[in-house]
DNA sequence: CTTTGACCCTGTATCTACTACAGAGCTTAG
DNA sequence: CTAAGCTCTGTAGTAGATACAGGGTCAAAG
């Protein structure tokens, strides 16, 4: 299978596939006589593995570890650790984003859409915060 | 004020301050005879402005725009647009992360901590998904 | 037979927002 | 005088792609 076909089939960008190869995340595909890469079924499985992990927010380095576990390890503790770590990370991110949302909403609501910058709560709050004064977003 | 003092006072890393200067986000600080930067009160306000915006998740480019609005514009519509855009983006991110959380939880719960990789739901699901089969996280 | 268009190749640059040096000079305390 | 602790500049690295430039190859159409 040529890379364009693989790309379309899996929905992974051509350059991304090349990137994964450069990172040694997949075994090097065979080459045809003309030098073109020919992706094997195994290559496709490897690519899907990465794609699936990435869709779960697992980092490239962690994908590497998970691959090794599949191939070498008889023990799943490290895999479990990766999932738990990412779970914690995501909980934290959600919390942070929720706080951010509250702040941005306050700002948003302080703009009365009159159009005049000097009456705008957003513009005002940003200027005030820069002076060390109060702002609607951090109160 | 020398950069170390500024850094400590505002809680912005020294290198980050230099980075903001290189990006022309602050006006160039005066130099002492020995070439050392001397940060003015205005510099501090500029830095706080950036810090405050960044804490709201506003990008460097958007900070630039917001700065221009403060200085030039009589109209707040662009500022409002930036806030709204970020709000939408954050809502989307929260949604995505919540979905991710569900998926990772499913995975996490499928690991029975026996320690054996071949009994581990995580290891299994990752392998199965790579083969195009079902996984606990995407069901 | 040639040309056109769609592929493929490699290598390198770009993106965001920092962060981390290396190698040098200045300043101040002991 | 020396050593610690600042400061300076320039450059490289981070994650995970993404986007070329400049070239080769291949199949079909004219
Ligand atoms: Zn407004
Ligand atoms: Zn605020
Ligand atoms: Zn397990
Ligand atoms: Zn899954």
């Amino acid at each position: 299978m040529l890379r364009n076909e693989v790309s379309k089939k899996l929905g992974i960008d051509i350059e991304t596939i090349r990137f994964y190869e450069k990172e040694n995340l997949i075994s090097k595909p065979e080459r045809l006589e003309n030098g073109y890469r020919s992706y094997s079924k195994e290559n496709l499985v490897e690519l899907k593995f990465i794609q699936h992990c990435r869709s779960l927010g697992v980092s490239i380095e962690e994908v590497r570890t998970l691959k090794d576990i599949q191939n070498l390890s008889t023990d799943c503790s490290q895999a479990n650790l990766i999932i738990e770590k990412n779970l914690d990370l995501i909980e934290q991110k959600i919390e942070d984003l929720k706080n951010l949302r509250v702040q941005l909403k306050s700002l948003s609501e302080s703009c009365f859409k009159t159009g005049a910058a000097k009456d705008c709560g957003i513009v005002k709050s940003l200027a005030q915060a820069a002076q060390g004064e109060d702002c609607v977003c951090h109160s």
Side-chain angles (χ1 to χ4, degrees), chain A residues 110-116 119-123:
Chain A
S110 78
C111 168
F112 301 109
K113 276 110 185 168
T114 64
D119 302 329
C120 179
I122 296 174
V123 176

Side-chain angles (χ1 to χ4, degrees), chain A residues 23 69 85 126:
Chain A
E23 290 289 311
I69 292 169
K85 204 209 81 194
L126 295 181

Side-chain angles (χ1 to χ4, degrees), chain A residues 99-116:
Chain A
N99 288 335
L100 255 186
R101 179 169 55 182
V102 171
Q103 293 171 352
L104 286 178
K105 266 193 181 150
S106 302
L107 267 182
S108 170
E109 283 160 12
S110 78
C111 168
F112 301 109
K113 276 110 185 168
T114 64

